[in-house]
Amino acid sequence: MSIVTLLPFIVLIGAMILMTRSAKKKQQQAVDMRNQLQPGSGVRTIGGMYATVKEVSEDTLLLDAGPGVELLFAKNAIGAVLSDDEYNRIVHGIEHDLKSDAVPDDASSLTETDEPSDDASAASDDKPIDLGKKDASDDATDESAEAKDDETKVVEAEPKKTDGESDAK
């Protein structure tokens, strides 16, 4: 056999080794995270429940999910350990004070000045501008339509149908 025929097998085996290595690293990080749990930590379970760790034993955790609600979970059921700020934001709705660093929702605060400008007062006196697109052909058709409306036409109006009436017999 030549090296060319063995090359795809070698590449495939190498990719499998790299994938299993990264999966083992992630598993080891999860085990380390679960072993470092302490009472008072905010956690999210793999089912999506948020709770506070009350007691830690070898394989289980006693979680406080609310006033008077204590639940016993396996350590493997913990999906993430949350920081205090993140836990309070999610569970209690308490936002960290970031108002000083916040960017305004609109640009008006960036363009406002204390003194009114002359350009702004002059612009407010102008008539509103129609920004609709009109072609020369549209103007001609509008004029011909107005001429037809000026002529007297007799249009017979059909009585309107009310709910429940139909033409079916």
Side-chain angles (χ1 to χ4, degrees), residues 83-95:
S83 67
D84 290 338
D85 289 337
E86 185 178 9
Y87 181 78
N88 288 331
R89 180 183 60 82
I90 294 170
V91 175
H92 303 296
I94 300 171
E95 291 290 330

Side-chain angles (χ1 to χ4, degrees), residues 146-166:
E146 288 175 8
K148 288 181 182 178
D149 288 341
D150 291 341
E151 296 176 6
T152 56
K153 296 194 291 185
V154 178
V155 177
E156 296 179 4
E158 294 182 24
K160 292 185 178 179
K161 296 179 183 175
T162 58
D163 289 342
E165 291 183 16
S166 65

Side-chain angles (χ1 to χ4, degrees), residues 5 19 22 51 93 96-97 120 123 157:
T5 56
M19 287 190 298
S22 65
H96 183 47
D97 187 23

Side-chain angles (χ1 to χ4, degrees), residues 113 115-125:
T113 58
E115 302 171 5
S117 66
D118 295 331
D119 296 338
S121 62
S124 64
D125 294 338

